[in-house]
Amino acid sequence: MSNNQERQIVSRARVAEHGEVYTGEREVNAMLDLVKDETERADSRFLEPACGNGNFMVEILRRKLEAVTRRYGTSRGEWAEKAVCALCSIYGIDILEDNVKEARRRLLGVFKAKAKAVIGANAGRLEPAARFVLERNVLWGDALTLLTVDGRQRPIVFSEWAFIGGGNVKRRDYELAELMRNKPYDGPNLFSDLGDEAFIPKPVKEYKCVNYLKLSDNAENQLQP
């Protein structure tokens, strides 16, 4: 682990202003071990509402990709689809833009390295989809207000990526404020993986099914009429 990944504070000013303290590797692994089975399911969703530079998300992705490799490593096609599915299941928010950019970079690095190790020269074809997913899944925002902090203060919107077979993905966009509703009559929200029926509100956008390799291709033209 590099010194950059092991550091727990960037500056005293950031600690004072934002309460920013990165979680160390040992603590990350100890906490994730409490939900070990979920970290090894490609499609189990994780949301880190104060993701920092991605320590939790990076380890979750590593665990998911290791599990995918154990099960599908002998089939490049199946591995590729399941690996993208694993990446699609990890979400993060941070109030600091540099953290968001670094978290995306680190996640992409882990994904690319594993793809290259497993499928070799074909790994590059996964990168456009991976980059597109990370731009939608790791966002610059405030998890307390559920708004972006890019100057426009829009509602935070996350995409649901539903892998429906045959390499096809159904994308739906939801406002996080609606997804996080968990009133007794609503039932668990989209980020619940407890086996219960999830409460899913009406999406703000819905897209046509596309192959997972084409997620980034003319996304606006994929909107469902």
Side-chain angles (χ1 to χ4, degrees):
M1 184 75 68
S2 71
N3 290 335
N4 183 58
Q5 292 172 345
E6 272 295 290
R7 71 177 189 233
Q8 290 190 279
I9 67 169
V10 175
S11 70
R12 293 183 182 275
R14 285 165 68 118
V15 174
E17 187 173 354
H18 300 289
E20 179 188 66
V21 178
Y22 296 150
T23 309
E25 181 182 10
R26 181 175 64 180
E27 290 76 18
V28 166
N29 279 296
M31 295 173 72
L32 292 179
D33 283 345
L34 298 175
V35 288
K36 185 175 183 296
D37 290 346
E38 295 303 306
T39 65
E40 295 180 351
R41 282 179 47 210
D43 61 351
S44 60
R45 296 187 186 95
F46 285 83
L47 169 63
E48 177 57 38
C51 67
N53 68 349
N55 286 352
F56 274 100
M57 296 189 297
V58 164
E59 182 56 30
I60 290 168
L61 181 59
R62 284 199 184 104
R63 291 179 180 217
K64 284 174 173 280
L65 293 180
E66 286 297 328
V68 168
T69 301
R70 288 194 299 270
R71 184 168 182 181
Y72 301 101
T74 58
S75 171
R76 292 182 178 182
E78 286 186 288
W79 186 92
E81 181 180 344
K82 293 297 183 182
V84 174
C85 176
L87 188 66
C88 286
S89 73
I90 299 171
Y91 298 81
I93 305 167
D94 201 81
I95 201 168
L96 296 173
E97 185 180 16
D98 60 336
N99 276 341
V100 171
K101 290 180 177 179
E102 187 176 356
R104 289 174 180 167
R105 179 188 62 77
R106 291 177 64 193
L107 286 163
L108 182 63
V110 169
F111 183 85
K112 288 172 61 177
K114 193 64 176 179
K116 185 176 181 180
V118 176
I119 62 176
N122 290 324
R125 68 192 183 110
L126 303 181
E127 187 171 340
R131 287 184 179 275
F132 182 74
V133 167
L134 287 171
E135 288 173 1
R136 297 295 315 144
N137 280 25
V138 184
L139 302 180
W140 183 24
D142 187 335
L144 296 179
T145 65
L146 303 180
L147 300 173
T148 64
V149 288
D150 56 5
R152 287 177 281 183
Q153 289 193 314
R154 299 166 297 175
I156 292 173
V157 174
F158 276 129
S159 294
E160 175 197 28
W161 316 93
F163 283 69
I164 59 176
N168 292 317
V169 180
K170 178 70 174 178
R171 174 186 168 191
R172 298 180 181 91
D173 289 352
Y174 298 96
E175 289 188 6
L176 182 60
E178 288 296 296
L179 291 179
M180 296 305 293
R181 284 202 296 152
N182 196 14
K183 299 175 184 177
Y185 53 82
D186 286 334
N189 59 59
L190 181 63
F191 293 102
S192 172
D193 267 319
L194 301 178
D196 301 310
E197 183 178 354
F199 165 69
I200 302 179
K202 184 178 179 180
V204 294
K205 288 185 180 180
E206 190 163 354
Y207 299 77
K208 299 174 184 177
C209 293
V210 296
N211 184 272
Y212 70 95
L213 293 174
K214 297 181 179 180
L215 287 173
S216 64
D217 294 354
N218 300 314
E220 290 305 310
N221 292 333
Q222 298 168 10
L223 280 169
Q224 193 78 38

